[in-house]
Amino acid sequence: MHPESMFALWLQADPGSGYLQVVLLISLLSLAVAVLFSRFVIRQDTGTTAMQKISNAIKQGAEAFLRRQYSTISSLAVLLALIIFVGYFFGKGQTTLAIRMTISFVVGSLCSLAAGYFGMWVSIRANIRTASAARSDLNRALQIALRGGAVTGLGVVSLSLLGVGGLFLLFDGLHNPQQVPFQIVAFGFGASFVALFAQLGGGIYTKAADVGADLVGKVEAGIPEDDPRNPAVIADLVGDNVGDCAGRGADLFESTAAENIGAMILGVALLPVFGIYGVLFPLMARAFGLIASIVGVTIVRVKGEEDPMKALNRGYYVTTALAMLGFYIAVRLLLQNNLHLFFAGVIGILTAFLFVYITQYYTEYKYRPVLSIADSAKTGPATVIITGFSVALECTALPVLVISAAILGSYYLGANAGLPGVSPEAAGLYGTAIATMGMLSTAAYILAMDTFGPITDNAGGIIEMSQQPEEIRRRTDRLDAVGNTTKALTKGYAIGSAALAAFLLFSAYIDEVKVHLGWAAERIFTVDIGNVPVFTGALLGAMLVFLFSALAIRAVGKAAQTVIEEVRRQFRSNPGIMQGTSDPDYGVCVDIVTKGALKAMVLPGILPVVGPVAVGVIFRHFAGYNETPVGATSVAALLMVGTIAGILLATMMNNGGGAWDNAKKYVETGKLGGKGSDAHKATVVGDTVGDPFKDTAGPSLHVLIKLLSTITLVAAPLFI
Amino acid sequence: MHPESMFALWLQADPGSGYLQVVLLISLLSLAVAVLFSRFVIRQDTGTTAMQKISNAIKQGAEAFLRRQYSTISSLAVLLALIIFVGYFFGKGQTTLAIRMTISFVVGSLCSLAAGYFGMWVSIRANIRTASAARSDLNRALQIALRGGAVTGLGVVSLSLLGVGGLFLLFDGLHNPQQVPFQIVAFGFGASFVALFAQLGGGIYTKAADVGADLVGKVEAGIPEDDPRNPAVIADLVGDNVGDCAGRGADLFESTAAENIGAMILGVALLPVFGIYGVLFPLMARAFGLIASIVGVTIVRVKGEEDPMKALNRGYYVTTALAMLGFYIAVRLLLQNNLHLFFAGVIGILTAFLFVYITQYYTEYKYRPVLSIADSAKTGPATVIITGFSVALECTALPVLVISAAILGSYYLGANAGLPGVSPEAAGLYGTAIATMGMLSTAAYILAMDTFGPITDNAGGIIEMSQQPEEIRRRTDRLDAVGNTTKALTKGYAIGSAALAAFLLFSAYIDEVKVHLGWAAERIFTVDIGNVPVFTGALLGAMLVFLFSALAIRAVGKAAQTVIEEVRRQFRSNPGIMQGTSDPDYGVCVDIVTKGALKAMVLPGILPVVGPVAVGVIFRHFAGYNETPVGATSVAALLMVGTIAGILLATMMNNGGGAWDNAKKYVETGKLGGKGSDAHKATVVGDTVGDPFKDTAGPSLHVLIKLLSTITLVAAPLFI
């Protein structure tokens, strides 16, 4: 018998179960590939003893931070798990729901912690191997860094599929597709909760160390970046790992998880048309995306002396093309070959592309925005900040236009997809969900490129600190520059997908509220922002986002100041450090930043959990003058307008920070007086200001948006 | 016959007409008082020839700018008047409406131009007289500055009452109260349109000059502020007048106008209960506020050596108490002594108080926020910006909480006011309108305090430039410091009232849309932000606010750079300037800034006019799946979420800028090394960055919010 027909027969036996098994199988295989990649990395040469000494210091610092961070996060998560269980068990008296919610939350938290941990585990090992390979072979160095990054990418996406798919199977979602997706929402909440702390803590750590090291090192002492004489340099390198690897890993884990669950909930509304397939489609599309990403990562190689970015782009194009093909197959298999829905997915894939280009326009020094910032350096740091801030505000415009077009386009494609028995609104929303799936189908590859950034950054640091020859430094500098670009691109991509996914999560929340109200699915739940309490909820939502950003940025400023004072103290008390005759005490700086970051992450981390719940619970008691419940509706407005504020502020901070960074790099290429000139000093101030924007507050905001969505999903019963 | 009974009889003859006449009479009397105040100012001594020379240079620069600015604004306004006429005449075929809308728009624009002009006319005359009086008598100087400011305050408020009341009478609103308020909306639009350009152009002018003068003067050349050797110093002093006086005058004119009209429209819904009185109440409350402000201004005098701020505060307390009394009388006369509504007004008055205190907390160097910024100056300009930015983001929280409480409190007071035959929603909205009226009842006094700021600032500049003895300088410095505080307070007040008034204008828009749809007044028009196109409108609204801020800030950066280059050129080509042997060429700097500001104000000024109309017209063609029209609803969401974003960004920029300014002042009192230290230089960078925040983008945003409201009111028929 032909193997294809055997597969077909097996699927026909119990199609839903068959597809779910395919998804789980692909996820397991991808995990296996991740293990192979990590073994490939580990097998590589680890360089000289000097290099190993530095690498070990980074490893120790990173692991010590993660241990302490994870114990803080775990305590908070256990507390929250208890609250969820008690709330659903005693408050609502629903035993099954209480148990399943709690299990989902715990599994989601654990998977998120694991995703962050493994991502960092491999990257603190890939950094030295990339550095070592860079001594002889650029292509080999690139491959080590990218495959190291791919361990995070594949691990994150397959863990999220295994988690969501596994819980779906465990709770017998195949025979109970109406309730089970709602029971899994706590998985997304657990993931977001952990991710927010991981991203915040890591983000504060990395930028406090970076800002501190740069201000005393580059500006005051006049020594280069990553100079071994700088006592904060190890803390800075540790920061790249705990912020950019562990933080971002947890962050993208919760993205994929929350969006999968949201899309499955919307799929419930389409049960009359697609049956269980509409619910499973998001998982299937993502699984095909995993295969596409594996192929993409595998084929990347640098030809001769070409720009490494070109090689990475080739991999991205291949991944995109394969993902589109996979998407088409998934639509054919599961969505009755509905071309409207396929094109909604194509819109998502195109949106990803446009975001990548817009981010490049605003953050590369080939174009007007960054050049205008660099030019304003002629008149000092104040004009650098003013011009940069105006660029930061401006760069929200194009992404919002693209997202608006994508949301509207996919909505109307869905609404006109000709789905019998489904309201155009529900079909339209499913269209936006499909677009989100399209945008996220290449997530594993994007995440691999993202983690590539800190690995090459660290490799450059190790080469610099172990004082390798100039020629090798130039090679790691080239990789590092590519890493900076990929980091900026993926942040644009992450916020774009968060924006596109926003609708999917709002709608999931509204669907859930309707279920709790006992409303029929067709009945329209309006979030009338013209209603006074609802408007107030919206205002509070936007405020929450501003306050959260304030706390995140303040934390960096505070921790950085303690680093600066410590470095100055070491320089003062031990003049041998600057002469290179004695070693600075790296450990004290690592300790200071660790403590500062952990302390500072708690308040901003709790705010988005407590805020929406407080609004929902208090506003529930207000009188409403039409039938929609005031509490739940005000929370919906809080969520939606909070999301809008989050999208804008995050875009502003990510791109603004990137633009300041590259204005400095532009001057460092020798323009406007080059390194050491007044213009350079002015752009260093800009870069420093941009640091907490682009690496602490900005990326945390995009987790915050998801956390708002998932906490409201979990706490919805409280608002009614 | 007792005169009181005569008055009562006269009122009874035609009560509506009687009250309207009282309002117009009080407005005319207040205008007369403004004339008396300006004659009081003009009568004062004009000091030495050296002082007059400087004052004349300021006068010339300011008048030249205003002439050119007004001719640009007028051309744009004429164009817009034509569009309005043609649109309503040919597009809608409504002759009466077309004529009345056009008249309203033209009158509104002219009044706004006049308000700005007269405010500046008197302040460029009060500055030198304040300076001259300060040489002998602090109390006299204070009185001249405050009464000069009161000319603007009284002029603005009475012009707006005369305009709105006069048009209401002209269009026979007393016998046609249902339509006429909607015909007057174009008055508010004209006022906002002019105000946006006045505030933007003036704001760009003043900050470009200020930033330019400070960066080259204080930082590079090391000469004090307002030093006559600085070629940009006259431009800087001119800027205070065209930005803070003319700009703010037009700005507060449109505030009072737009809010009066909005409240009258809400009063239409209450016709069954209060008849015409509910529509006239806003005008009456404002007229009583005028009387209260006149008394307040008149009683201000400094006792001996006390802090001048105390004297101003005494005046404010008296004004507030009288305004509250007047409010009570108005409620008794016109609103059937409904105590619920009176207390809604009290909420508004208390909100004004709280805003004043919150602003002080975030911008004075007695409290944690500013001190933390100053403290971060120890580690250089980058940490000053980071800390300041986190303070700026944070300071949105308390105002939003206060506004939320005020909106909810006054809404529920209104809803429970026991108004027969009125839906609780409509009554609740009227409650928020009453709160707004309460908050704005002291507007004339607040505006007098605001204009007091630039007058004393200029007086200080004239004393400094004419090289008066140290003792006199200290006296004007004291007045100047008070002026800085009052300027910050009134900005907080302005944004607070804009936030409180937001609802009133949304509701007016929705009422207007319902009229155009031919819906019954009771029918609820929902702005369902959970609907995809509506959400997209909301997202675009928030983006519009960010883009507008970007353009405003960029304009300052650009214009400031040209000033800096010109000043450097003068220092280079004429070394005699720094030695004090030859005069710099002030005129060139004035010219550069004039041209730069006028060119730069056009694009950001047109954006908020074109943006909402484009969204409404395009979205009108999208399919909606319930009965609410997609175009009009999306514009409503754009307006509401744009307002939210505007409130937050404006608060952030106003208070953030104020905090940076005062962190610098704190260091200048001798802390952290005092003037000339590295910490001082770092805070000067912060102050400079804050300049376009607090004096260009911030105050323009609050006009922008109103402009969005009024343009949507005028263009509403296009969206259906």
Side-chain angles (χ1 to χ4, degrees):
Chain A
M1 199 175 185
H2 203 274
E4 209 177 75
S5 329
M6 274 178 66
F7 179 65
L9 265 183
W10 170 70
L11 272 182
Q12 275 164 18
D14 181 355
S17 158
Y19 285 123
L20 190 55
Q21 285 169 38
V22 171
V23 168
L24 295 176
L25 194 70
I26 293 177
S27 309
L28 284 173
L29 285 176
S30 304
L31 265 191
V33 174
V35 171
L36 286 180
F37 279 158
S38 73
R39 288 181 62 179
F40 164 84
V41 170
I42 298 297
R43 265 204 317 273
Q44 309 296 322
D45 177 68
T46 54
T48 67
T49 330
M51 287 163 68
Q52 284 164 15
K53 199 179 128 196
I54 300 156
S55 164
N56 284 332
I58 298 173
K59 212 186 288 178
Q60 273 169 26
E63 281 172 351
F65 175 73
L66 223 62
R67 251 197 316 278
R68 290 169 63 171
Q69 189 191 31
Y70 275 23
S71 93
T72 310
I73 299 179
S74 305
S75 332
L76 289 168
V78 168
L79 186 71
L80 219 56
L82 272 175
I83 294 176
I84 291 172
F85 183 77
V86 170
Y88 273 93
F89 190 80
F90 294 101
K92 294 274 146 186
Q94 293 176 294
T95 319
T96 316
L97 194 60
I99 295 172
R100 290 185 171 183
M101 280 277 192
T102 313
I103 291 177
S104 299
F105 178 80
V106 171
V107 175
S109 308
L110 286 176
C111 285
S112 189
L113 288 171
Y117 181 76
F118 288 121
M120 205 196 68
W121 186 90
V122 74
S123 75
I124 54 182
R125 283 159 181 85
N127 55 10
I128 182 166
R129 290 163 173 90
T130 302
S132 174
R135 291 181 305 165
S136 53
D137 183 350
L138 181 67
N139 180 44
R140 169 57 46 127
L142 176 83
Q143 285 187 340
I144 297 171
L146 183 63
R147 292 184 186 184
V151 175
T152 310
L154 296 175
V156 156
V157 178
S158 35
L159 263 181
S160 106
L161 281 180
L162 281 176
V164 175
L167 288 175
F168 193 76
L169 202 63
L170 181 71
F171 299 161
D172 198 18
L174 289 169
H175 301 104
N176 200 3
Q178 303 221 255
Q179 276 84 50
V180 172
F182 291 106
Q183 295 166 349
I184 306 181
V185 293
F187 180 87
F189 176 49
S192 313
F193 182 76
V194 167
L196 187 69
F197 282 99
Q199 181 64 266
L200 252 181
I204 295 169
Y205 188 112
T206 178
K207 288 304 121 174
D210 190 7
V211 168
D214 279 6
L215 281 181
V216 207
K218 285 201 225 172
V219 181
E220 288 185 20
I223 54 179
E225 194 160 334
D226 294 337
D227 190 291
R229 288 170 293 177
N230 192 330
V233 68
I234 292 288
D236 186 8
L237 292 170
V238 169
D240 292 338
N241 291 294
V242 300
D244 292 346
C245 298
R248 196 66 44 79
D251 163 359
L252 275 149
F253 175 77
E254 66 79 30
S255 281
T256 52
E259 284 148 17
N260 277 339
I261 298 167
M264 289 166 82
I265 288 180
L266 292 191
V268 170
L270 273 65
L271 283 173
V273 190
F274 298 125
I276 188 78
Y277 293 174
V279 179
L280 290 179
F281 176 80
L283 300 178
M284 193 52 124
R286 198 61 71 87
F288 283 141
L290 267 174
I291 301 175
S293 301
I294 292 173
V295 177
V297 168
T298 316
I299 63 147
V300 169
R301 73 189 68 243
V302 186
K303 292 174 191 149
E305 279 302 298
E306 76 169 345
D307 181 0
M309 193 65 219
K310 277 200 183 154
L312 291 181
N313 276 338
R314 267 200 305 276
Y316 181 46
Y317 298 145
V318 169
T319 306
T320 305
L322 287 177
M324 221 183 278
L325 181 67
F327 212 84
Y328 179 71
I329 296 172
V331 170
R332 234 188 128 84
L333 288 176
L334 293 155
L335 301 184
Q336 302 168 358
N337 199 17
N338 188 312
L339 285 184
H340 275 84
L341 294 179
F342 171 66
F343 283 114
V346 171
I347 284 184
I349 296 172
L350 288 180
T351 304
F353 254 84
L354 285 173
F355 260 75
V356 164
Y357 281 112
I358 294 170
T359 311
Q360 281 180 310
Y361 174 71
Y362 275 105
T363 56
E364 289 194 356
Y365 56 66
K366 285 182 264 178
Y367 309 104
R368 193 260 309 158
V370 174
L371 291 178
S372 73
I373 298 176
D375 192 56
S376 68
K378 286 190 276 187
T379 43
T383 42
V384 167
I385 304 293
I386 292 175
T387 313
F389 198 73
S390 98
V391 166
L393 286 164
E394 181 200 314
C395 73
T396 56
L398 286 178
V400 164
L401 289 177
V402 169
I403 279 294
S404 300
I407 292 179
L408 287 172
S410 54
Y411 178 74
Y412 283 106
L413 274 173
N416 295 308
L419 306 180
V422 178
S423 73
E425 286 96 342
L429 289 173
Y430 197 68
T432 67
I434 300 278
T436 311
M437 297 301 113
M439 182 152 186
L440 285 165
S441 57
T442 54
Y445 188 87
I446 294 274
L447 189 54
M449 285 215 292
D450 188 48
T451 311
F452 173 88
I455 293 176
T456 53
D457 195 354
N458 261 237
I462 293 171
I463 291 289
E464 178 88 17
M465 286 190 67
S466 59
Q467 295 164 336
Q468 305 280 332
E470 185 59 29
E471 192 204 320
I472 298 173
R473 278 194 214 184
R474 263 207 302 275
R475 214 173 280 148
T476 51
D477 275 358
R478 276 180 69 189
L479 284 178
D480 191 12
V482 170
N484 272 335
T485 307
T486 61
K487 273 196 284 183
L489 299 186
T490 49
K491 261 176 272 179
Y493 174 85
I495 189 71
S497 67
L500 197 55
F503 233 91
L504 188 158
L505 294 165
F506 303 158
S507 318
Y509 169 76
I510 288 174
D511 283 357
E512 166 133 18
V513 169
K514 286 202 286 195
V515 168
H516 287 292
L517 285 172
W519 285 18
E522 315 77 69
R523 185 160 165 196
I524 289 180
F525 181 99
T526 54
V527 184
D528 182 7
I529 196 182
N531 198 329
V532 167
V534 178
F535 177 78
T536 315
L539 184 59
L540 291 170
M543 181 271 271
L544 199 69
V545 171
F546 275 67
L547 185 56
F548 173 86
S549 309
L551 295 173
I553 293 175
R554 190 208 291 174
V556 173
K558 262 192 186 169
Q561 256 174 286
T562 59
V563 173
I564 292 173
E565 278 154 21
E566 168 61 21
V567 172
R568 284 184 184 157
R569 190 195 60 75
Q570 290 200 22
F571 281 157
R572 254 198 324 271
S573 64
N574 184 356
I577 295 178
M578 276 300 282
Q579 290 149 17
T581 53
S582 65
D583 279 348
D585 186 347
Y586 301 124
V588 183
C589 287
V590 171
D591 254 21
I592 285 180
V593 189
T594 302
K595 278 184 202 144
L598 290 178
K599 216 178 102 187
M601 77 179 185
V602 176
L603 184 59
I606 286 178
L607 184 70
V609 177
V610 174
V613 175
V615 168
V617 171
I618 296 172
F619 279 47
R620 198 182 68 184
H621 301 290
F622 289 165
Y625 301 112
N626 58 35
E627 60 218 342
T628 320
V630 176
T633 318
S634 304
V635 170
L638 177 149
L639 173 60
M640 290 173 186
V641 176
T643 299
I644 290 178
I647 292 169
L648 287 164
L649 272 188
T651 307
M652 175 187 120
M653 293 194 187
N654 288 337
N655 289 355
W660 269 314
D661 189 352
N662 281 334
K664 183 196 69 175
K665 294 231 160 72
Y666 174 73
V667 174
E668 285 176 352
T669 63
K671 299 296 188 320
L672 300 164
K675 274 193 184 180
S677 65
D678 279 347
H680 183 235
K681 279 190 191 133
T683 52
V684 169
V685 172
D687 177 37
T688 310
V689 170
D691 270 340
F693 278 35
K694 71 178 200 298
D695 290 316
T696 312
S700 301
L701 276 173
H702 127 240
V703 192
L704 171 83
I705 294 174
K706 301 285 175 46
L707 184 60
L708 287 178
S709 300
T710 51
I711 174 77
T712 48
L713 271 170
V714 169
L718 295 175
F719 311 149
I720 293 161
Chain B
M1 198 175 188
H2 202 274
E4 207 176 77
S5 329
M6 274 179 62
F7 180 65
L9 265 182
W10 170 70
L11 272 181
Q12 274 163 19
D14 181 356
S17 157
Y19 285 123
L20 190 54
Q21 285 168 38
V22 170
V23 167
L24 296 176
L25 194 69
I26 293 177
S27 310
L28 285 172
L29 285 176
S30 305
L31 266 190
V33 174
V35 172
L36 287 180
F37 279 159
S38 71
R39 289 180 62 177
F40 165 85
V41 170
I42 297 298
R43 266 203 317 273
Q44 309 296 323
D45 177 68
T46 53
T48 66
T49 329
M51 287 165 68
Q52 284 165 14
K53 199 179 129 196
I54 300 157
S55 165
N56 285 332
I58 298 173
K59 212 186 287 177
Q60 274 170 24
E63 281 171 350
F65 175 74
L66 222 63
R67 251 197 315 276
R68 289 169 63 172
Q69 189 190 30
Y70 275 23
S71 93
T72 310
I73 299 179
S74 305
S75 333
L76 289 168
V78 168
L79 186 71
L80 218 57
L82 271 176
I83 294 176
I84 291 173
F85 183 77
V86 169
Y88 274 92
F89 190 80
F90 294 102
K92 295 273 147 185
Q94 293 176 294
T95 319
T96 315
L97 195 60
I99 294 171
R100 290 186 171 182
M101 280 277 193
T102 314
I103 291 177
S104 299
F105 177 80
V106 171
V107 175
S109 309
L110 287 176
C111 285
S112 189
L113 288 171
Y117 181 75
F118 288 121
M120 205 195 69
W121 186 89
V122 73
S123 75
I124 54 183
R125 284 159 179 85
N127 56 10
I128 182 166
R129 291 161 172 92
T130 303
S132 174
R135 290 180 306 165
S136 53
D137 184 348
L138 181 67
N139 179 45
R140 170 56 47 125
L142 176 84
Q143 285 187 339
I144 297 171
L146 183 64
R147 291 184 186 181
V151 175
T152 310
L154 296 176
V156 156
V157 178
S158 35
L159 263 182
S160 105
L161 281 180
L162 281 175
V164 174
L167 288 174
F168 192 75
L169 201 64
L170 180 70
F171 298 161
D172 198 18
L174 288 170
H175 301 103
N176 200 3
Q178 304 221 256
Q179 274 84 51
V180 171
F182 290 107
Q183 295 165 350
I184 306 181
V185 293
F187 181 86
F189 176 50
S192 313
F193 182 75
V194 167
L196 187 69
F197 282 101
Q199 182 63 266
L200 252 180
I204 296 169
Y205 188 111
T206 178
K207 288 304 122 174
D210 191 5
V211 169
D214 279 6
L215 282 181
V216 208
K218 286 200 226 173
V219 181
E220 288 184 19
I223 54 179
E225 194 160 335
D226 295 338
D227 191 290
R229 289 170 292 177
N230 192 331
V233 68
I234 293 288
D236 186 8
L237 292 170
V238 169
D240 291 339
N241 291 294
V242 300
D244 292 346
C245 297
R248 196 66 45 79
D251 163 358
L252 275 148
F253 175 77
E254 66 80 30
S255 281
T256 52
E259 284 147 18
N260 277 339
I261 297 166
M264 289 167 83
I265 289 180
L266 292 191
V268 170
L270 272 66
L271 283 172
V273 191
F274 298 124
I276 188 79
Y277 294 174
V279 179
L280 291 178
F281 176 81
L283 300 179
M284 193 52 125
R286 197 61 71 87
F288 284 141
L290 267 175
I291 300 175
S293 302
I294 292 173
V295 177
V297 169
T298 316
I299 64 148
V300 170
R301 73 190 68 243
V302 186
K303 292 173 190 150
E305 278 303 297
E306 77 168 343
D307 181 359
M309 192 66 219
K310 277 199 183 154
L312 291 182
N313 275 338
R314 268 200 306 278
Y316 181 47
Y317 297 145
V318 169
T319 306
T320 304
L322 288 177
M324 221 183 278
L325 180 68
F327 211 85
Y328 178 71
I329 297 172
V331 169
R332 235 186 127 85
L333 288 176
L334 293 155
L335 301 184
Q336 302 168 357
N337 199 17
N338 189 312
L339 285 183
H340 275 85
L341 294 179
F342 171 66
F343 284 114
V346 172
I347 285 184
I349 296 173
L350 288 180
T351 305
F353 254 85
L354 286 173
F355 260 75
V356 164
Y357 281 111
I358 295 170
T359 310
Q360 281 180 310
Y361 174 71
Y362 275 105
T363 55
E364 290 193 356
Y365 57 66
K366 285 182 263 178
Y367 308 105
R368 193 260 309 158
V370 174
L371 291 177
S372 72
I373 298 176
D375 192 57
S376 67
K378 287 190 275 186
T379 42
T383 43
V384 168
I385 303 293
I386 292 176
T387 313
F389 197 74
S390 98
V391 166
L393 285 165
E394 182 199 314
C395 74
T396 57
L398 287 178
V400 164
L401 289 177
V402 169
I403 278 294
S404 300
I407 292 179
L408 287 172
S410 54
Y411 177 75
Y412 283 105
L413 275 172
N416 295 308
L419 306 180
V422 178
S423 72
E425 286 96 340
L429 289 173
Y430 197 67
T432 67
I434 300 278
T436 311
M437 296 301 113
M439 182 152 186
L440 285 165
S441 57
T442 54
Y445 188 86
I446 295 273
L447 190 53
M449 285 215 293
D450 188 49
T451 311
F452 173 89
I455 294 175
T456 53
D457 195 354
N458 262 236
I462 292 171
I463 291 289
E464 177 89 18
M465 285 191 67
S466 60
Q467 294 164 338
Q468 304 281 333
E470 184 59 28
E471 193 203 321
I472 298 174
R473 278 192 214 185
R474 263 208 301 277
R475 215 173 279 148
T476 50
D477 276 357
R478 276 180 70 189
L479 284 178
D480 191 12
V482 171
N484 273 334
T485 308
T486 60
K487 273 197 283 183
L489 299 186
T490 49
K491 262 177 269 177
Y493 174 85
I495 189 71
S497 67
L500 197 55
F503 233 93
L504 190 158
L505 294 164
F506 303 158
S507 318
Y509 169 76
I510 288 174
D511 283 356
E512 166 133 18
V513 169
K514 285 201 285 194
V515 168
H516 287 291
L517 286 172
W519 285 18
E522 313 78 69
R523 185 159 164 196
I524 290 179
F525 181 98
T526 53
V527 184
D528 182 5
I529 196 182
N531 198 328
V532 167
V534 178
F535 177 79
T536 315
L539 185 59
L540 291 170
M543 180 271 270
L544 199 67
V545 171
F546 276 67
L547 185 57
F548 173 85
S549 308
L551 295 173
I553 293 175
R554 191 208 291 175
V556 173
K558 261 192 186 167
Q561 255 175 287
T562 58
V563 173
I564 292 173
E565 277 154 22
E566 168 62 19
V567 172
R568 283 186 185 156
R569 191 195 59 76
Q570 290 201 24
F571 280 158
R572 254 197 325 270
S573 64
N574 184 356
I577 296 177
M578 276 300 282
Q579 290 149 17
T581 53
S582 64
D583 279 347
D585 187 348
Y586 302 124
V588 183
C589 287
V590 171
D591 255 21
I592 284 181
V593 189
T594 302
K595 278 184 203 143
L598 290 179
K599 216 177 103 187
M601 77 179 184
V602 176
L603 184 59
I606 287 178
L607 184 69
V609 178
V610 174
V613 175
V615 168
V617 171
I618 295 172
F619 279 46
R620 198 181 69 185
H621 301 289
F622 289 165
Y625 300 112
N626 57 35
E627 61 219 342
T628 320
V630 177
T633 318
S634 304
V635 169
L638 175 148
L639 173 60
M640 290 173 187
V641 177
T643 299
I644 291 178
I647 292 169
L648 287 164
L649 272 188
T651 307
M652 175 186 120
M653 292 193 187
N654 288 337
N655 289 355
W660 269 314
D661 189 352
N662 280 333
K664 183 197 70 176
K665 293 231 161 69
Y666 175 74
V667 174
E668 285 176 351
T669 64
K671 300 296 190 316
L672 299 166
K675 274 194 184 180
S677 65
D678 280 348
H680 184 236
K681 280 189 192 133
T683 53
V684 169
V685 172
D687 177 36
T688 310
V689 170
D691 270 340
F693 279 35
K694 74 178 197 298
D695 290 317
T696 311
S700 302
L701 275 174
H702 127 238
V703 192
L704 171 82
I705 294 174
K706 300 285 175 47
L707 183 61
L708 287 179
S709 299
T710 50
I711 174 77
T712 48
L713 270 169
V714 170
L718 294 175
F719 311 149
I720 294 160

